[in-house]
Amino acid sequence: MPKTKRVYTFGNKQAEGNGKMRELLGGKGANLAEMNLIGIPVPPGFTITTEVCAEYYTLGKEGVVKLIKPEVEAAMKGVEQIMNMKFGDSANPLLVSVRSGARASMPGMMDTILNLGLNDEVVEGLAKKMNNPRFAWDSYRRFVQMYGDVVMDMKPQSKEDEDPFEEIIDAVKKEKGVKLDTDLTTDDLKELVKRFKAAVKKVTGKDFPTDPWEQLWGAVCAVFSSWMNERAILYRKLNNIPAEWGTAVNVQSMVFGNMGETSATGVAFTRDAATGEDIFNGEYLVNAQGEDVVAGIRTPQEITIEGSRRWAELQGISESERATKYPSLEEVMPAAFTELNEIQQHLEEYFKDMQDIEFTIQSGKLWMLQTRSGKRTGAAMVKIAMDMLAEGMIDAKTAVLRVEPAKLDELLHPVFDSAALKKAIIISKGLPASPGAATGQIVFFADDAEKWAAEGKKTILVRIETSPEDLKGMTLSEGILTARGGMTSHAAVVARGMGKCCVSGAGDLVIDYKNRTITVGTKTYKEGDWISLNGSTGVIYEGKVATKDAEVSGDFAKLMELADEFAHLKVRANADTPRDAKTAFRFGAQGIGLCRTEHMFFEGDRIKAVREMILADDEEGRRKALAKLLPMQRGDFEGLFETMNGHPVTVRLLDPPLHEFVPHFEKEMRDMAAEMKVSYEVIKNKVDALAESNPMLGHRGCRLGNTYPEITEMQTRAIIEAALNIKKKGIDVHVEIMVPLVGTHRELRAQKAVIDAVAQEVFAEHNMIIDYAVGTMIEIPRAAVTANQIAEVADFFSFGTNDLTQMTFGYSRDDVAKFLPIYLEKGILKYDPFQIIDVNGVGQLVREAVFKGRSVKPQLKCGICGEHGGEPTSVEFCHYAGLNYVSCSPYRVPIARLAAAHAALKQQ
Ligand code: PEP
Ligand code: MG
């Protein structure tokens, strides 16, 4: 058997791996290899594979080190040869970085260690060799700090406290009377290293390791461990990344951006990740290392002159001040910038996608540290795909597949109303880090955002800067506001990835964590105060600013048209009112797949008539109340049919248990008694008699229509009369009447007989007829397995996968929250089957029902109207199951349209 290869080397324009090996080498490792192969300057190094990550979790540190040691030692020799330096040597030391790199990029979620290989001897050697003691000691203090954090687990004591190392830095700066880190002298840095190590010993009880190899094994294993840290687990959950994938570890020769004024480091995007505009943009810092740019501690400067000018304008900084204090890389290091600009174009053309790149300039020489497909907002995703299509870089199929259906959600949310914005009071302005409109109450800590969200409050998370620990709070807040950090800071990158509104680097804000206040000039805002963020302009407003609905236009509309060309599935909407129907229509719905008529029963005064009907003693009493409901229902249907203008509308007959409509509180019951002119006791007894132990399995669905046919009669009459009235106006109507909760074909037969009889009666009265279809929901397992019998009666099937999931699993829809989170955590369930269709169980029933139904009626129209109809992976299932359409809430219509196209394209 061939020996398993666990380490892949790269360097000097050669590589053992390549860009296609993401699964084994992770995204970063694969792209580092590929960049070498296409001649981009990349510091040499090697990748330890993702398979070793899994081995680490079974063998532990010692076991895994034994396994990889010979290959790592050999790979390190290769790096030493290319760099002409030696790892651990005190005269000519090679330092390395150790970084994670999973198959899918997980920015900032796992750990990184830079400058590894330094100790008290090596630092002196480095200082001599580089003739730069300050640089050597600055690198050393950074290494101790990072290694202490990541490998030795030094953490702040409480949420109000800073990182323990940052506290030491602040203390030394205070003692020395200096403001900036860059003002610290070599001796100050030596003092920092000493205090850092003492702090490590004090907190962890362990000495800081001096042997570079011991440091390396510690770092490699810490990166593997970080795959299972809390934030990485949460990120995977949010992005559906399987835990089995594991991370690779990349060990790479260090190049230094902190060697003085001709050195720099930065991150850049080949296009704008927030808006998608084709503008090369990014940020850099002179005399700095990578973590400085993303940490948001020093505010980085723009790479291009154009970007720098735009930034200065946003900040209200004059051109002369900008050019002297905050010049762009293009101005400061023009030669390195030109090369960087060429490389970014090369990378984008080569990978045919927007790239997120990291680079370092060491004494004027440019090195590329990473390239990956850049995270972007939904809006940017759409624009970049459509622009690249127009530029001929990608084809239509690729353009459609480039946009993640779920990401469209961001484009469908309301935006600030421009009239309201004009009147709003501006607090300050930051950078437009991630677009959107957010309104919420100020909180300062991520765990408070979580707590407040649980209480149903909307929050804006306000931080000096965010860190990966804040991830959960960020997901649960409406928007994120930071005082420090640029467009590539943690807050900005993560918010864009989540599609969350974010304003970063609002430098005017003075944030006081201890007192929980923000001060801007003379004004102070407290925790709990309402503010609004415009993530597209960076402006922060006082209070709540009104919003208006989003529209499908421009590139978004073009993408949707393309998607419809590829899709086989049609998309309808679940809509109960003309208003919902209008929204659905705006978003491209091709019909209404489910109108839940009971929702109409709660409108205005009608609930009284509904209750009267339910509480009536006999058929006569029921008919009297139903007669009051008839005109109201007819009016509703007229509105719906008119709005849908000839597109199909599926109207479902009454479904929920009657007990849901009756009054439950004494006062309401007394009011009802007065209204109906009976005693309170009569009402109370009726309400009690209607209560059921398992209402979801009780007197509901077609069982209501079969026991009280007069309800079906009234609803049918309202539907058919409405259809005729609209038809009389010259508007086409395409009506489908749907019977819920059928378990045996006889239930449907009985209901169909009632419907047909009433329809004929109405046609005779109006002397006019229309086509109508009678179909059923398939939402009871028995209906699915006897679908051939049901299809003999039904004109169409619509899968009610909410109930079908409930009854197939035997999980009550209303009580599942009690155990579902635990099942998900324990891995008993991989996902929530009420959100993502259970292909192997519920999906099997759907397939069987379609097959059996069409064996009787080959053209039987089949759709889905459960919540799954708007969820992308479930839509894909529906495509494969051969359904004709999916129906989902209006706001998910574009998502379903795109998901339907993806399903068809993936099958090609
Ligand atoms: C269903 O059961 O999937 C369905 C659409 O009906 P409801 O959610 O109204 O029970
Ligand atoms: Mg149902």
Coordinates of all heavy atoms in Angstrom, one line a residue, residues 651-680:
V651 N -56.8 27.9 -3.4 CA -57.4 28.3 -2.2 C -57.7 27.0 -1.4 O -58.3 26.1 -1.8 CB -58.8 29.0 -2.5 CG1 -59.4 29.4 -1.2 CG2 -58.6 30.2 -3.4
R652 N -57.2 27.1 -0.1 CA -57.4 25.9 0.7 C -58.6 26.1 1.6 O -58.8 27.2 2.2 CB -56.2 25.6 1.6 CG -56.3 24.4 2.5 CD -55.1 24.2 3.3 NE -54.9 25.1 4.4 CZ -53.9 25.1 5.2 NH1 -52.9 24.3 5.0 NH2 -53.9 26.0 6.2
L653 N -59.4 25.1 1.7 CA -60.6 25.2 2.6 C -60.1 25.1 4.1 O -59.0 24.8 4.4 CB -61.5 24.0 2.3 CG -62.0 23.9 0.9 CD1 -63.0 22.7 0.7 CD2 -62.8 25.2 0.5
L654 N -61.0 25.5 4.9 CA -60.7 25.7 6.4 C -59.9 24.5 6.9 O -60.3 23.3 6.7 CB -62.0 25.9 7.1 CG -61.9 26.3 8.6 CD1 -61.2 27.7 8.7 CD2 -63.2 26.3 9.3
D655 N -58.9 24.7 7.7 CA -58.0 23.7 8.1 C -57.8 23.5 9.6 O -57.9 22.4 10.2 CB -56.6 23.8 7.4 CG -55.6 22.8 7.8 OD1 -56.1 21.6 8.1 OD2 -54.4 23.0 7.9
P656 N -57.6 24.6 10.4 CA -57.2 24.4 11.8 C -58.4 23.9 12.7 O -59.6 24.1 12.4 CB -56.8 25.8 12.3 CG -57.1 26.7 11.2 CD -57.7 26.0 10.1
P657 N -58.0 23.3 13.8 CA -59.1 22.9 14.8 C -59.9 24.1 15.2 O -59.3 25.2 15.4 CB -58.3 22.4 16.0 CG -56.9 22.5 15.6 CD -56.7 23.1 14.3
L658 N -61.2 24.0 15.4 CA -62.1 25.1 15.7 C -61.7 25.8 17.0 O -62.0 27.0 17.2 CB -63.5 24.6 15.7 CG -64.0 24.1 14.4 CD1 -65.5 23.7 14.5 CD2 -63.9 25.2 13.2
H659 N -61.2 25.0 17.9 CA -60.8 25.5 19.2 C -59.9 26.8 19.1 O -59.9 27.6 19.9 CB -60.1 24.4 20.0 CG -60.0 24.7 21.5 ND1 -58.8 25.0 22.0 CD2 -60.9 24.9 22.4 CE1 -59.0 25.3 23.3 NE2 -60.3 25.2 23.6
E660 N -59.1 26.8 18.0 CA -58.2 28.0 17.8 C -58.9 29.3 17.6 O -58.3 30.3 17.8 CB -57.3 27.8 16.6 CG -56.2 26.8 16.8 CD -55.1 26.7 15.7 OE1 -55.1 27.6 14.8 OE2 -54.4 25.8 15.7
F661 N -60.2 29.2 17.3 CA -60.9 30.5 17.0 C -61.7 31.0 18.2 O -62.2 32.1 18.2 CB -61.9 30.3 15.8 CG -61.2 29.9 14.5 CD1 -61.2 28.6 14.1 CD2 -60.6 30.9 13.7 CE1 -60.5 28.2 12.9 CE2 -59.9 30.5 12.6 CZ -59.9 29.2 12.1
V662 N -62.0 30.1 19.1 CA -62.9 30.5 20.2 C -62.2 31.4 21.3 O -61.0 31.3 21.4 CB -63.6 29.3 20.9 CG1 -64.4 28.5 19.9 CG2 -62.5 28.4 21.5
P663 N -63.0 32.1 22.0 CA -62.4 33.0 23.1 C -61.8 32.1 24.2 O -62.4 31.1 24.5 CB -63.5 33.9 23.6 CG -64.7 33.2 23.1 CD -64.4 32.4 21.9
H664 N -60.7 32.5 24.8 CA -60.1 31.6 25.8 C -60.1 32.3 27.2 O -59.9 31.7 28.2 CB -58.7 31.3 25.5 CG -58.6 30.4 24.3 ND1 -58.9 29.0 24.3 CD2 -58.3 30.7 23.0 CE1 -58.8 28.5 23.1 NE2 -58.4 29.5 22.3
F665 N -60.4 33.6 27.2 CA -60.4 34.3 28.5 C -61.8 34.7 28.9 O -62.7 34.9 28.0 CB -59.5 35.6 28.4 CG -58.1 35.3 28.0 CD1 -57.6 35.6 26.8 CD2 -57.3 34.7 29.0 CE1 -56.4 35.2 26.4 CE2 -56.0 34.4 28.6 CZ -55.5 34.6 27.4
E666 N -62.0 34.8 30.2 CA -63.4 35.0 30.7 C -64.0 36.2 30.1 O -65.2 36.2 29.7 CB -63.4 35.1 32.3 CG -64.8 35.1 32.8 CD -64.8 35.1 34.3 OE1 -63.9 34.6 35.0 OE2 -65.8 35.7 34.9
K667 N -63.3 37.3 30.1 CA -63.9 38.6 29.6 C -64.4 38.4 28.2 O -65.5 38.8 27.8 CB -62.9 39.7 29.7 CG -63.5 41.0 29.2 CD -62.7 42.2 29.4 CE -63.4 43.4 28.8 NZ -64.0 43.3 27.5
E668 N -63.5 37.8 27.3 CA -63.9 37.6 25.9 C -65.2 36.7 25.9 O -66.0 36.9 25.0 CB -62.8 36.9 25.2 CG -61.6 37.7 24.8 CD -60.6 36.9 24.1 OE1 -60.1 35.9 24.7 OE2 -60.3 37.2 22.9
M669 N -65.2 35.6 26.7 CA -66.3 34.7 26.7 C -67.6 35.4 27.1 O -68.7 35.2 26.6 CB -66.1 33.5 27.6 CG -65.1 32.5 27.0 SD -65.1 31.0 27.9 CE -63.4 30.9 28.5
R670 N -67.5 36.3 28.1 CA -68.7 37.1 28.6 C -69.2 38.0 27.5 O -70.4 38.1 27.2 CB -68.3 37.9 29.8 CG -68.2 37.0 31.1 CD -68.3 37.8 32.4 NE -68.1 36.8 33.5 CZ -68.9 36.0 34.0 NH1 -70.2 36.0 33.5 NH2 -68.6 35.2 35.0
D671 N -68.2 38.6 26.7 CA -68.6 39.5 25.6 C -69.3 38.7 24.6 O -70.3 39.1 24.0 CB -67.3 40.1 25.0 CG -66.7 41.2 25.9 OD1 -67.4 41.5 26.9 OD2 -65.6 41.6 25.6
M672 N -68.8 37.5 24.3 CA -69.4 36.6 23.3 C -70.8 36.2 23.7 O -71.7 36.2 22.8 CB -68.5 35.4 23.2 CG -68.7 34.6 21.9 SD -68.2 35.5 20.4 CE -69.5 35.0 19.4
A673 N -70.9 35.9 25.0 CA -72.3 35.5 25.5 C -73.3 36.6 25.3 O -74.4 36.4 24.8 CB -72.2 35.1 27.0
A674 N -72.8 37.9 25.6 CA -73.7 39.0 25.4 C -74.1 39.1 24.0 O -75.3 39.3 23.6 CB -73.1 40.3 25.9
E675 N -73.1 39.0 23.1 CA -73.4 39.2 21.7 C -74.4 38.1 21.2 O -75.3 38.4 20.4 CB -72.0 38.9 20.9 CG -72.0 39.1 19.5 CD -71.5 40.5 19.1 OE1 -71.0 41.3 20.0 OE2 -71.7 40.9 18.0
M676 N -74.2 36.9 21.7 CA -75.1 35.8 21.2 C -76.4 35.6 22.0 O -77.1 34.7 21.7 CB -74.3 34.5 21.2 CG -73.2 34.4 20.1 SD -72.3 32.9 20.1 CE -73.5 31.7 19.6
K677 N -76.5 36.5 23.0 CA -77.7 36.5 23.9 C -77.9 35.1 24.5 O -79.0 34.6 24.5 CB -78.9 36.9 23.1 CG -78.8 38.3 22.5 CD -80.1 38.8 21.9 CE -80.1 40.2 21.4 NZ -79.1 40.4 20.3
V678 N -76.8 34.6 25.0 CA -76.8 33.3 25.8 C -76.0 33.6 27.1 O -75.4 34.6 27.2 CB -76.3 32.1 25.1 CG1 -77.1 31.7 23.9 CG2 -74.8 32.3 24.7
S679 N -76.1 32.6 28.1 CA -75.4 32.8 29.3 C -73.9 32.5 29.1 O -73.5 31.8 28.2 CB -76.0 32.0 30.4 OG -75.6 30.6 30.2
Y680 N -73.1 33.1 30.1 CA -71.7 32.9 30.1 C -71.4 31.4 30.1 O -70.5 30.8 29.5 CB -71.0 33.6 31.2 CG -69.7 33.2 31.6 CD1 -68.6 33.4 30.8 CD2 -69.4 32.5 32.8 CE1 -67.3 33.0 31.1 CE2 -68.2 32.0 33.1 CZ -67.1 32.3 32.3 OH -65.9 31.8 32.6

